[in-house]
Amino acid sequence: MLLWRAVLVAVLLCGVGLLPWLSRTDPALTVLRARSAERAPTPDVLDAIRGQLGLDAGPVRLLGDWLGGLLHGDAGRSWISGADVTPSVLQALGASLLLMGGALAVAAVTAGAACARTLRLGAARRLGERRSAGTGSALLATLPDFLTASVLASVVGVQLGWLPALGWYGPRWMVLPALSLGLPAGALLGRMLDDLLPGAFAEPWALAAAARGVRGRSVARQALRRCVPGVLPNVGLFVVGLTGGAVAVEQVFDIPGLGRLSLQAAVAQDLPVLQAGTLALVVLAAAVGGLARLTARLLIGPALRDGALPSLHRPTPSRPTTPPLLYGGLLLAVVALGLARDPLELDTTARLRSPSRAHPFGTDALGRDVLARVGHGALDTLALAAAVSVAALVLGVLLGLLPRFSGPLVDTVNAVPPVLAALLVTAVAGSGRATPALAVTAVAWAPLAAHTSALLRQERATTHLAATRGLGASPLQLLRHELLPAVLPPVLRHALLRLPGVALALAALGFLGLGAQPPSPEWGLLLSENQPYAERAPWASLAPAAALALLGAVAVTAGGGVRWPRAPRVRRRAAADPAQPVAGGHARPPVTGSADEVPVPVAGPARREDA
């Protein structure tokens, strides 16, 4: 695994080092524009830059020289400013780590609030009253971080003056950006914990503790400890993502963090800075991933080793269908009303008009009807986001079933800032309509793969799996009848919860010219276009944000009842009549427990008699 991780890091650094040549651009021209946009790009000027940077030696020589200097602690000099790279990268990393720590504190509080009701009901042995699918936390998880940052900066920082809105000078300047990053992350982690807690409260140890009169708080605390290892890999992914991927928040609050530095270096093709920043994120990802795995072993290590874990997978009752139908109907109504209007009609006399009968969602800075733009943008946004989410889910599950292969790959992919991933995909595949989808898919599978591996590791250590294996079940039978029913439903609910985030990630690439471009009414582009007017015309930004929130509500309420399909009809008949032959012609033994339990695979008559 160490060799595989080293190969991945080497491939990533080589890809970054070859970025200008892969994208078939002149690095001398890009550096000149970054240094001085007014200076004419004459051949003499470009030749001077090539000689100064050593570009004539070729990309392989440049990469080798950079790696050679790195072995001696020298990360080179910036192609733009000429300053040493190491101090600037370390300073930006320190700011990002401090911001990440504050965001994690906010995320922990938010996650606790998201699963507090389930903990309270489980401690009181009243989980039967748990009907909610966590719509509030789902809506919070779908909030775009840059929109949250803009609203907090303009309202709390500027209008109310409670906290500083710009700069990075002390703890008070960290509150608003930490809230912007921590609230969505904490809501998502809280939803994942809330999804596992009912299974923990139904385990034999919890039932026995309740029967012996153990305090409900103690049972709830142990149930939480039982579920934390299942989400620890995603906590590690959030740590790295909040460090290198907080580009928008750092831009809004003017924070000199590593994400902002990587964005500037990627756009200007300042390769030494970009390579050093990427290497710092890769090292951080490896360290955090190792710490997450170590923590999981400390929490449930002996049970994992001895195969003594009970399964968190329990047959889930059907969920009410009213909430997803209600939210889905409301979203469809908004889209239908918007489709009846012209999204490109300009009216400069009606700029930034507030909502009225003529314009129910108001108008934007060019006088265009916001409802029309939201309605027409729904088609491309939802179709592309759904396609990318399905592809990410398939890749995540398939790679998550191979944890030794996918573990280092997940850490490396998660260390790549979204901007850099988009540039690398564009360099390889070229610009086009499929480029944003490829770029987002390249990184969107990683959290799902980490979730799959974590659940799979625990399910393989369960006692019922060891018993089923002892009865002669083949690896394919174990995968089909035991592992996938336990892993797929929570991972699918996780993927549905990330659907609005995928839509936003696709839209964010428009800033680089890789995604939707004006005058497209794509939802993410609507958010970015109307962000400068959030204080004067908040409706222009709130309308697409509300549409994304509705999409998140539909996804989480529909996913709350995701269950593994019931056993085939022939197996249900066999459960009712033990003498009834099943597929293969063998009679099967009686199965104890509820009718919803997965039948134990057997190998034939001899094994049946042993059982």
Side-chain angles (χ1 to χ4, degrees):
M1 291 187 68
L2 290 176
L3 179 61
W4 173 229
R5 190 181 297 274
V7 169
L8 291 173
V9 174
V11 170
L12 176 60
L13 291 178
C14 289
V16 173
L18 299 176
L19 182 59
W21 292 271
L22 290 174
S23 58
R24 294 171 292 278
T25 59
D26 186 358
L29 179 59
T30 306
V31 170
L32 175 63
R33 290 174 177 172
R35 289 180 177 179
S36 177
E38 296 81 9
R39 192 173 182 183
T42 62
D44 293 338
V45 172
L46 295 179
D47 289 339
I49 293 177
R50 293 190 187 98
Q52 178 187 1
L53 301 180
L55 296 176
D56 294 332
V60 178
R61 176 66 179 274
L62 286 175
L63 183 61
D65 292 342
W66 182 81
L67 291 175
L70 193 64
L71 295 176
H72 300 87
D74 182 15
R77 290 182 173 272
S78 170
W79 286 3
I80 306 302
S81 64
D84 288 337
V85 169
T86 303
S88 60
V89 170
L90 290 179
Q91 183 179 3
L93 179 62
S96 293
L97 289 177
L98 186 60
L99 176 59
M100 178 268 295
L104 279 184
V106 175
V109 175
T110 306
C115 58
R117 184 169 183 269
T118 301
L119 287 171
R120 185 174 65 254
L121 293 176
R125 302 180 64 184
R126 293 190 290 115
L127 276 179
E129 303 176 12
R130 180 179 176 267
R131 303 298 182 190
S132 173
T135 307
S137 59
L139 295 178
L140 190 59
T142 59
L143 286 177
D145 54 4
F146 65 86
L147 179 62
T148 307
S150 300
V151 172
L152 289 177
S154 60
V155 176
V156 180
V158 177
Q159 292 184 357
L160 299 178
W162 291 348
L163 291 168
L166 290 175
W168 189 251
Y169 306 107
R172 295 181 68 246
W173 280 262
M174 192 175 67
V175 176
L176 294 183
L179 288 173
S180 303
L181 293 171
L183 288 176
L188 185 58
L189 290 175
R191 280 290 303 142
M192 294 172 63
L193 274 175
D194 193 67
D195 192 45
L196 295 174
L197 282 172
F201 279 113
E203 289 181 347
W205 66 265
L207 300 177
R212 291 178 61 87
V214 177
R215 295 179 59 186
R217 290 184 179 180
S218 299
V219 176
R221 185 168 56 252
Q222 294 301 322
L224 186 62
R225 177 182 176 180
R226 171 70 177 90
C227 297
V228 163
V231 300
L232 273 177
N234 274 275
V235 174
L237 297 184
F238 274 118
V239 168
V240 182
L242 293 177
T243 303
V247 180
V249 174
E250 291 176 356
Q251 289 278 38
V252 170
F253 292 102
D254 194 23
I255 299 173
L258 189 58
R260 186 181 178 187
L261 182 67
S262 299
L263 171 63
Q264 295 170 350
V267 173
Q269 293 188 354
D270 191 353
L271 294 189
V273 176
L274 188 57
Q275 288 170 322
T278 303
L279 182 61
L281 287 175
V282 168
V283 173
L284 177 64
V288 171
L291 182 61
R293 288 187 288 270
L294 178 61
T295 305
R297 287 188 178 184
L298 291 176
L299 290 176
I300 55 172
L304 285 176
R305 184 187 63 243
D306 300 335
L309 277 179
S311 176
L312 283 175
H313 171 61
R314 292 289 185 272
T316 55
S318 59
R319 298 277 186 175
T321 58
T322 303
L325 291 179
L326 177 62
Y327 297 130
L330 184 57
L331 182 59
L332 287 177
V334 171
V335 172
L337 291 175
L339 290 175
R341 298 165 177 260
D342 186 0
L344 302 178
E345 182 181 357
L346 300 177
D347 185 2
T348 56
T349 63
R351 298 175 63 251
L352 300 177
R353 290 282 180 87
S354 59
S356 61
R357 293 188 61 181
H359 304 286
F361 285 0
T363 61
D364 62 8
L366 297 178
R368 296 173 297 190
D369 187 78
V370 175
L371 175 59
R373 295 183 65 74
V374 169
H376 284 267
L379 301 179
D380 292 339
T381 302
L382 298 181
L384 192 57
V388 170
S389 297
V390 170
L393 175 63
V394 173
L395 282 175
V397 172
L398 291 179
L399 292 175
L401 294 176
L402 305 170
R404 293 182 63 84
F405 172 80
S406 63
L409 188 60
V410 167
D411 292 341
T412 306
V413 168
N414 188 62
V416 180
V419 173
L420 180 57
L423 290 176
L424 289 174
V425 170
T426 304
V428 175
S431 297
R433 294 181 60 87
T435 298
L438 290 174
V440 175
T441 306
V443 296
W445 62 269
L448 302 177
H451 196 189
T452 301
S453 297
L455 295 178
L456 186 69
R457 187 180 303 111
Q458 295 191 49
E459 195 65 24
R460 281 176 172 170
T462 55
T463 52
H464 77 89
L465 196 72
T468 306
R469 187 185 297 111
L471 291 173
S474 67
L476 184 60
Q477 287 176 314
L478 291 175
L479 179 66
R480 180 182 175 185
H481 297 292
E482 302 292 340
L483 296 177
L484 289 181
V487 170
L488 274 185
V491 175
L492 179 55
R493 291 191 287 269
H494 184 187
L496 286 172
L497 194 62
R498 287 186 176 271
L499 179 60
V502 169
L504 275 176
L506 289 168
L509 298 184
F511 288 109
L512 297 176
L514 307 177
Q517 294 297 301
S520 171
E522 201 270 339
W523 285 357
L525 190 58
L526 295 185
L527 286 171
S528 61
E529 287 177 344
N530 297 311
Q531 178 187 348
Y533 310 100
E535 183 178 353
R536 180 181 173 187
W539 53 84
S541 297
L542 290 178
L548 281 169
L550 276 177
L551 175 61
V554 173
V556 73
T557 52
V562 170
R563 295 177 295 167
W564 187 255
R566 293 175 64 88
R569 184 176 301 175
V570 63
R571 292 186 181 274
R572 292 200 300 269
R573 285 201 308 268
D577 183 5
Q580 178 70 28
V582 296
H586 301 303
R588 56 171 294 172
V591 178
T592 60
S594 65
D596 285 334
E597 291 182 356
V598 180
V600 176
V602 295
R607 288 291 184 187
R608 177 179 60 80
E609 294 172 3
D610 294 341

